[in-house]
């Protein structure tokens, strides 16, 4: 069963994303990802496509609890429909 998450990354680097949306498979691996940057731009990746500097993680992701336990991150589970809206918007932005 897939799960979906939204992670805010609090940092001061303009070249790194501030929000990361991930679709994650039952084994904990990303299957799709959208990264949002300061200024409103987005990049995305899936198993066959990557834009900008975004790529899928090569290892299983830690749990939401582990991510949220790090002070620079705020992590939450989201609904599949929320992820799909963000995914669609990122694709529309690129076309």
């Amino acid at each position: 069963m897939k799960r979906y998450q939204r992670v805010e990354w609090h940092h001061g680097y303009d070249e790194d994303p501030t929000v990361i949306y991930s679709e994650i498979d039952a084994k904990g691996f990303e299957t799709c990802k959208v990264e949002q940057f300061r200024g409103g731009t987005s990049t995305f990746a899936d198993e066959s496509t990557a834009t900008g500097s975004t790529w899928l993680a090569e290892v299983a992701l830690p749990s939401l609890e582990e991510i949220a336990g790090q002070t620079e991150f705020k992590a939450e589970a989201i609904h599949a429909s929320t992820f799909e809206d963000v995914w669609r918007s990122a694709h529309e932005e690129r076309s």
Side-chain angles (χ1 to χ4, degrees), residues 4 21 29-30 35 41 64-65 78 83 87 93 95:
Y4 301 86
Y21 292 86
F29 289 89
E30 289 179 320
E35 295 182 330
T41 60
L64 271 177
E65 293 77 17
I78 59 172
F83 180 85
W87 182 255
E93 180 182 316
S95 39

Side-chain angles (χ1 to χ4, degrees), residues 15-74:
E15 66 276 2
D16 289 329
T18 55
V19 182
I20 304 165
Y21 292 86
S22 299
E23 176 185 76
I24 303 159
D25 69 15
K27 294 182 179 182
F29 289 89
E30 289 179 320
T31 55
C32 298
K33 175 194 281 186
V34 175
E35 295 182 330
Q36 295 178 335
F37 296 82
R38 286 183 176 83
T41 60
S42 298
T43 56
F44 57 87
D46 61 20
E47 294 169 340
S48 63
T49 307
T51 63
S53 60
T54 301
W55 65 89
L56 299 181
E58 295 180 3
V59 297
L61 296 181
S63 70
L64 271 177
E65 293 77 17
E66 289 176 87
I67 296 169
Q70 299 177 52
T71 58
E72 68 269 24
F73 297 116
K74 177 183 175 189

